[in-house]
Amino acid sequence: VALGQLPDVSPAGAQCLEHECFAVFWAARPFLAASEGCERGGGHLMTVRSTVAEEAIALLLQNRAGRLWLGLSLPPSMSCTEPSRRLRGFHWVTGDRSTDYTNWAASGKRCGERCVTVSRELRWEERRCEEAADGFLCQYSYGGSCPRLAAPPGVLVTYATPFGARGADFLALPPRSVASVPELGLELRCDEDGDGAGPRWGRDTPGAWPCEVAGGGCAGTCREERGRPRCSCAEAAVLGADGRGCRSLCEGSPCEHHCVVTGGSFVCMCFEGYRLAADGARCEDIDDCAAEPGPCEQQCVNTQGGFECRCHSGYAMVDGRCQRRPPCFEAPCEQRCEELAHGYRCACHPGYAVDPLDATRCRLHCNATECPAVCDAGGACECPEGFVLDGDELCVDVDECDSNFCPSNCTNTPGGYQCHCPRGQYLRDSDCVPILDEDPFSGDSEPDPRTPVPSRPPPDAERLHPGLVVAIAAGALLSPLAL
């Protein structure tokens, strides 16, 4: 018989657990044909990953002699076994190599024998896949199962599984199994329950079947009324469409939040912070801030199902109460903040001074000819403007007067310099020019000592030195006085 024309065979025996069934087929076939036979029934060749599976094999073989295919084969990339590895290089037909159990017969490295059989002694042996073994073992996995039907003594119940196994000794049945009770003319089917509770026995005809078989299939109570079995449910539930299942009175109710069963009916209820609308089903938010007295100390903001308390500007929420914030709480000071009687002022760390152009910021500052440099954790050091780094951590003042920036005399200051013009002259465009008004002290009289006049920076300077900013401002005031 050609490979694609091998007839289906029925299993000689089967064992079912809650989520799996194992079946033995005594039919001489090569590995590929055996694998296809398992797949047509919805399963695969058996994987033996634990002693539980080994015990199932022992029950199925019942000491019968012969070799049966297991679900182990070498991948195409390998031609020889590797005895040092747990599965000797073989993979399960499910594509993985995980296992907690092996039972290899003693052998060394073998080539050309790419499939595995098991015998009555439960030993695993490598064999050529093209040879025909005496049979094969199949495994079927399910999400759940139906229990064996409870029936009165003397009433026979037989079962048929979807992979062809039949008998009366099953303890669990996979979905799509059929149970027959000839004495009562009853046939039931194991199907997935629509409520997600798992498989359960049922039939297409609505209503209870005889109560002595699995309680008539009732989710509630089965009882005989006028010679006919009927199902009933607890007070808070009603019979489902099949006449056997029970559903809560609240199932499908229009309640937006809660449904509560009381006295054979239901009422809708809402979460805290909501009230029931006029239609008795929807829930509306309660404006908690509209209550008298209000729930908050200063400001109240209503939210869906609740409210939020906030504080006025200048206050902060501390342990549920609004407390006045200190002046420095939100001050924009770059480094330090000092609280005053009616506010605050910004201050700086040592080595810095408040920026005269922005009282909230700090800049490097030194009021002597030498100051320590300000260094960060990485060792990078900085000096104030007008100073240079001398050595590793010392800032030394630059003597700008050496650069001849002034048209007359020059006085060096920490970080800057000042230009001086003779009496009767003032600084304009880096030059000392005469004051045009008549000088009452002109002639041969001795001139007064020269007054220092602030200089301007050299034309190519990019920015003013700190001392120069002050000098320019002082010069602007001195000129009208001279006039």
Side-chain angles (χ1 to χ4, degrees):
V1 180
L3 180 62
Q5 299 174 341
L6 289 175
D8 289 333
V9 292
S10 297
Q15 293 288 332
C16 287
L17 306 176
E18 184 179 359
H19 297 288
E20 290 180 319
C21 288
F22 306 101
V24 58
F25 295 80
W26 291 102
R29 294 185 177 178
F31 181 86
L32 182 59
S35 181
E36 291 176 348
C38 292
E39 291 172 359
R40 281 195 294 273
H44 54 75
L45 285 172
M46 187 174 179
T47 60
V48 190
R49 305 173 192 263
S50 65
T51 55
V52 174
E54 183 194 47
E55 292 170 359
I57 294 177
L59 291 172
L60 293 171
L61 292 180
Q62 296 179 348
N63 289 325
R64 179 172 172 176
R67 290 182 172 84
L68 302 167
W69 290 119
L70 291 179
L72 277 173
S73 64
L74 281 178
S77 59
M78 298 179 61
S79 58
C80 298
T81 62
E82 297 181 3
S84 62
R85 301 171 68 176
R86 189 167 194 185
L87 283 181
R88 299 189 177 182
F90 287 86
H91 287 203
W92 298 112
V93 291
T94 51
D96 64 293
R97 292 178 294 177
S98 64
T99 189
D100 294 324
Y101 169 84
T102 61
N103 195 17
W104 292 102
S107 67
K109 182 176 181 179
R110 305 174 72 100
C111 298
E113 299 178 348
R114 307 175 59 84
C115 297
V116 178
T117 61
V118 64
S119 62
R120 178 173 57 186
E121 293 77 22
L122 303 180
R123 291 290 185 181
W124 300 1
E125 297 177 324
E126 300 96 328
R127 295 193 61 180
R128 295 179 61 83
C129 303
E130 298 80 10
E131 298 177 3
D134 299 308
F136 52 96
L137 293 161
C138 292
Q139 177 178 342
Y140 309 91
S141 301
Y142 306 96
S145 60
C146 290
R148 176 188 178 88
L149 284 169
V155 176
L156 179 65
V157 182
T158 60
Y159 304 94
T161 67
F163 54 86
R166 297 177 181 273
D169 298 328
F170 292 97
L171 298 179
L173 284 302
R176 296 187 293 115
S177 295
V178 175
S180 298
V181 190
E183 185 175 336
L184 301 177
L186 182 63
E187 187 173 280
L188 304 176
R189 182 182 175 91
C190 176
D191 285 319
E192 294 286 347
D193 195 356
D195 59 6
R200 60 184 297 179
W201 293 107
R203 63 176 182 177
D204 294 336
T205 305
W209 55 77
C211 295
E212 60 263 37
V213 179
C218 299
T221 304
C222 181
R223 63 177 183 271
E224 300 284 340
E225 291 184 1
R226 299 178 183 178
R228 297 184 60 185
R230 293 185 180 277
C231 294
S232 60
C233 298
E235 181 181 1
V238 294
L239 276 175
D242 63 356
R244 295 184 295 273
C246 295
R247 63 177 182 84
S248 169
L249 288 168
C250 285
E251 186 176 330
S253 73
C255 299
E256 185 177 0
H257 287 177
H258 285 303
C259 176
V260 180
V261 177
T262 59
S265 62
F266 68 89
V267 294
C268 295
M269 300 183 70
C270 297
F271 298 139
E272 185 178 358
Y274 294 83
R275 59 169 170 260
L276 200 63
D279 59 8
R282 293 182 301 105
C283 293
E284 298 174 340
D285 175 57
I286 297 174
D287 187 355
D288 303 275
C289 295
E292 290 293 342
C296 297
E297 183 180 6
Q298 291 188 357
Q299 291 180 326
C300 178
V301 178
N302 188 62
T303 61
Q304 284 294 314
F307 63 93
E308 179 182 341
C309 290
R310 298 178 184 175
C311 300
H312 299 316
S313 177
Y315 289 81
M317 185 70 70
V318 180
D319 296 330
R321 300 296 302 273
C322 290
Q323 297 185 8
R324 181 174 291 279
R325 292 171 174 167
C328 287
F329 185 80
E330 290 183 340
C333 299
E334 183 180 18
Q335 292 186 359
R336 296 174 51 217
C337 178
E338 297 177 352
E339 293 185 8
L340 304 178
H342 300 288
Y344 70 90
R345 69 181 173 193
C346 295
C348 300
H349 300 316
Y352 293 84
V354 174
D355 190 335
L357 301 179
D358 185 349
T360 66
R361 301 185 62 82
C362 295
R363 67 178 186 181
L364 290 168
H365 175 72
C366 178
N367 60 357
T369 57
E370 293 182 356
C371 289
V374 177
C375 304
D376 59 21
C381 298
E382 287 186 279
C383 290
E385 187 175 0
F387 289 79
V388 294
L389 192 64
D390 183 11
D392 292 334
E393 298 182 0
L394 183 65
C395 294
V396 178
D397 177 49
V398 176
D399 189 349
E400 291 87 355
C401 290
D402 290 342
S403 300
N404 297 319
F405 293 151
C406 295
S408 184
N409 292 334
C410 174
T411 301
N412 186 61
T413 61
Y417 65 96
Q418 284 185 326
C419 292
H420 302 268
C421 288
R423 181 177 179 80
Q425 296 184 4
Y426 70 97
L427 190 69
R428 185 180 69 183
D429 296 333
S430 301
D431 285 322
C432 290
V433 296
I435 298 174
L436 297 180
D437 290 346
E438 183 178 353
D439 186 353
F441 300 102
S442 61
D444 297 329
S445 61
E446 184 71 23
D448 292 339
R450 290 177 294 176
T451 304
V453 179
S455 67
R456 296 182 182 270
D460 57 347
E462 294 183 359
R463 54 186 174 180
L464 296 176
H465 288 287
L468 185 56
V469 175
V470 178
I472 292 174
L477 292 173
L478 290 172
S479 295
L481 289 176
L483 290 173

